[in-house]
């Protein structure tokens, strides 16, 4: 049993008397319209602990359990994109160590390295990097220079034919080429379909940018807001979303003040590992709705 004081803390996720909007499919069957979901990622507060692309895909997969994802945005200042996490430092140090052993002949790989662009086999990893830089990266640079010399429709056609969609080169470059700055955080998030915004190097700049974007999404009629952050400054935004009869999900490392204002709280490590199931979200929603019914 719950006392009346504790029950007042619980809020409904959605009003039970709200009409369900129906849409007609191509087969002429009317079905409930999919909920619109917007995702907001505070990169300054909650950066990925592993490969950014995998983290973004897992986050998007979580949001799709709630409905149709119409927007997924990530905001951070310049420091987040130039900083090297410890796992990146460790991976690069281990790769350099293995390259040095292979170069000296102290370590022999079980299989030869194969270039994913042309299929050429190389005896060592340093040989593969040398081959890629001397051949494929040089050819890529020639194409980029050629594209810059063109204008208008010719430039667009050349870009579509020789630059865009060259996934074999892009995949190999992500493995063999080390970015001059950072570890490719922005590029990997964009590859996963995330809109990435770099804000000014000022205190709370990312928070203000996220708040403006959340207000814009609220006015555009989304049904769910997914916020990736532990910053308590977003409590007021969650309260406004709740008052507007919108569902709210907070993804973070601790179920603190943001979790109390949200309809659902899920752990960030669980989202990154793909461990949050749709039934977990449904249980939270159902439980809070039952508490609301008891209070009524």
């Amino acid at each position: 049993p719950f006392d009346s004081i504790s029950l007042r803390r619980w809020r409904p996720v959605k009003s039970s008397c709200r009409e369900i909007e129906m849409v007609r499919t191509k087969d002429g069957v009317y079905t409930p319209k999919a909920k619109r979901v917007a995702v907001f990622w505070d990169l300054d507060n909650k950066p990925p602990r592993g490969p950014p692309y995998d983290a973004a895909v897992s986050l998007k997969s979580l949001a799709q359990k709630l409905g149709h994802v119409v927007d997924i945005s990530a905001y951070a200042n310049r420091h987040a994109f130039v900083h090297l996490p410890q796992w990146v430092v460790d991976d690069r140090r281990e790769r350099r160590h293995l390259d040095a052993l292979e170069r000296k002949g102290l370590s022999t790989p079980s299989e030869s390295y194969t270039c994913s662009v042309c299929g050429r086999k190389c005896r060592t990893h340093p040989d593969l990097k040398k081959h890629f830089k001397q051949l494929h990266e040089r050819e890529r640079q020639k194409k980029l220079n050629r594209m810059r010399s063109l204008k208008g429709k010719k430039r667009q056609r050349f870009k579509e034919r020789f630059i865009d969609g060259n996934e074999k080169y892009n995949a190999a470059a992500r493995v063999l080429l080390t970015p001059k700055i950072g570890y490719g955080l922005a590029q990997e998030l964009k590859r996963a379909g995330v809109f990435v915004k770099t804000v000014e190097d000022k205190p709370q700049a990312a928070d203000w940018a996220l708040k403006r974007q959340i207000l814009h999404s609220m006015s555009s009629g989304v049904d769910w807001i997914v916020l990736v952050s532990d910053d308590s400054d977003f409590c007021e935004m969650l309260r406004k979303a709740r008052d507007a009869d919108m569902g709210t999900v907070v993804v973070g490392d601790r179920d603190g003040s943001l979790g109390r204002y949200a309809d659902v709280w899920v752990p960030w490590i669980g989202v990154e590992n793909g461990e949050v199931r749709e039934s977990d979200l449904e249980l939270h929603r159902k439980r809070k709705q039952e508490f609301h019914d008891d209070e009524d």
Side-chain angles (χ1 to χ4, degrees), residues 41-45 74-77 197-200 202-212 231 234:
W41 192 349
D42 184 6
L43 279 177
D44 284 343
N45 183 268
Y75 290 78
N77 57 31
K197 177 67 174 179
T198 305
V199 301
E200 299 179 358
K202 295 181 179 179
Q204 306 299 320
D207 292 357
W208 284 109
L210 271 173
K211 289 176 182 178
R212 287 193 297 268
D231 194 339
F234 291 104

Side-chain angles (χ1 to χ4, degrees), residues 32-61:
K33 185 177 180 180
K35 302 297 183 182
R36 292 161 52 88
V37 185
V39 183
F40 304 98
W41 192 349
D42 184 6
L43 279 177
D44 284 343
N45 183 268
K46 202 62 58 209
R49 294 187 178 90
Y53 177 82
D54 297 340
V57 170
S58 297
L59 178 60
K60 192 173 182 179
S61 177

Side-chain angles (χ1 to χ4, degrees), residues 75-205:
Y75 290 78
N77 57 31
R78 181 183 57 86
H79 176 74
F81 300 106
V82 301
H83 171 70
L84 290 180
Q86 189 59 42
W87 67 270
V88 176
V89 176
D90 295 339
D91 287 349
R92 291 183 180 180
R93 183 184 296 117
E94 183 180 0
R95 184 68 262 176
R96 287 195 300 267
H97 178 66
L98 291 176
D99 287 351
L101 294 178
E102 290 183 7
R103 193 179 294 111
K104 296 177 182 179
L106 301 178
S107 175
T108 304
S110 58
E111 297 180 359
S112 58
Y113 294 92
T114 303
C115 177
S116 59
V117 179
C118 65
R120 179 177 177 178
K121 296 185 180 297
C122 300
R123 188 175 59 86
T124 65
H125 190 263
D127 292 339
L128 177 62
K129 291 179 65 175
K130 182 179 180 180
H131 158 75
F132 183 83
K133 290 182 178 181
Q134 290 183 347
L135 181 61
H136 302 298
E137 188 182 16
R138 183 176 296 178
E139 288 296 322
R140 175 79 167 190
Q141 192 60 44
K142 289 181 181 179
K143 292 178 181 178
L144 291 175
N145 294 336
R146 172 62 176 164
M147 184 190 69
R148 296 188 186 102
S149 66
L150 300 175
K151 295 181 180 179
K153 293 183 179 179
K154 289 185 177 180
R155 179 173 182 171
Q156 182 63 28
R157 286 196 296 266
F158 186 90
K159 182 175 182 292
E160 292 175 354
R161 182 177 179 182
F162 297 105
I163 305 300
D164 294 343
N166 194 352
E167 188 55 36
K168 285 186 177 180
Y169 175 87
N170 295 332
R174 285 192 293 268
V175 177
L176 298 175
L177 300 183
T178 302
K180 295 181 180 180
I181 300 177
Y183 64 108
L185 173 60
Q187 292 79 2
E188 287 294 276
L189 293 181
K190 291 178 182 178
R191 186 165 69 95
V194 179
F195 171 77
V196 181
K197 177 67 174 179
T198 305
V199 301
E200 299 179 358
D201 290 335
K202 295 181 179 179
Q204 306 299 320

Side-chain angles (χ1 to χ4, degrees), residues 213-269:
Q213 189 63 26
I214 292 175
L215 288 174
H216 173 73
S217 296
M218 291 173 61
S219 63
S220 64
V222 299
D223 300 287
W224 282 92
I225 286 180
V226 180
L227 176 63
V228 186
S229 180
D230 278 328
D231 194 339
S232 59
D233 291 341
F234 291 104
C235 289
E236 181 64 19
M237 298 303 301
L238 292 179
R239 187 189 64 79
K240 290 181 179 180
R242 185 186 61 190
D243 293 342
D245 198 25
M246 298 171 59
T248 54
V249 178
V250 168
V251 181
D253 290 322
R254 59 182 184 276
D255 190 1
S257 55
L258 284 182
R260 291 194 293 269
Y261 279 88
D263 296 318
V264 182
W265 177 88
V266 290
W268 178 222
I269 185 64

